[in-house]
Amino acid sequence: MYFSRPLTVDGYLGAKVAAFATVVGAIYIVPQVVLHLGLALISDDGFLPYMGDNLDILWKVPVTTLAFIGLHGALVFILSSVIDRTGIAAAAFLGLIVAGSGIAAAVGAAGFSGSRWISLLSIDQHPRIIRDYLFGNTVDYPAEAAGFEVWVSVVFIVVVVIAAVVFVRNRYRRLA
């Protein structure tokens, strides 16, 4: 049964995406569920009233998780498809998220023509903008300071995910 059919590129990539989404999704969602249940247990109103009053968590946390998984997964898959060494790929991902975002934010805040568009390259801000919009937090990220709204971050994530799917699929098809 294990080798009942040949492994295709799409099957392999689908399994990689499913494994990544399962592990990273669990890392994002499980602590939120534990926190929500813990807050319900210590609530002055009682467990059931607290759970009923905070039902919006049931869709906000998964949407936020999906934004993080989508963007981070797309970047991880692109980098791992072009970099053979795991450690170097991990360092490149961390550098892109931390240093690249900081550099893009600094350049985006500069006063020259078109600098506001560079603020969109502060990659890790986009899932955070969506999260803060859903939960009502008010943090000014570079894209927001440049005048972009939350829908721009949603479009940015969708474009990056589509580009990653096309790029990684074509790269694996060429290698197969």
Side-chain angles (χ1 to χ4, degrees), residues 83-131:
I83 301 173
D84 292 333
R85 303 272 187 209
T86 304
I88 295 172
F93 174 73
L94 190 59
L96 185 64
I97 293 294
V98 175
S101 292
I103 293 168
V107 173
F112 64 88
S113 173
S115 65
R116 74 184 285 254
W117 294 98
I118 295 174
S119 69
L120 291 175
L121 297 178
S122 182
I123 293 173
D124 202 39
Q125 73 180 335
H126 296 290
R128 296 174 197 286
I129 289 172
I130 293 169
R131 177 201 61 203

Side-chain angles (χ1 to χ4, degrees), residues 108 114-121 125-126 129 139-154 156:
S115 65
R116 74 184 285 254
W117 294 98
I118 295 174
S119 69
L120 291 175
L121 297 178
Q125 73 180 335
H126 296 290
I129 289 172
V139 176
D140 249 358
Y141 293 102
E144 291 177 320
F148 294 106
E149 295 185 24
V150 69
W151 67 266
V152 176
S153 291
V154 172
F156 183 88

Side-chain angles (χ1 to χ4, degrees), residues 131-143:
R131 177 201 61 203
D132 289 353
Y133 176 78
L134 291 176
F135 288 100
N137 295 342
T138 55
V139 176
D140 249 358
Y141 293 102

Side-chain angles (χ1 to χ4, degrees), residues 1-15 173 176:
M1 294 306 280
Y2 186 73
F3 289 111
S4 62
R5 67 176 179 90
L7 185 61
T8 63
V9 170
D10 291 335
Y12 173 72
L13 291 175
R173 283 197 175 273

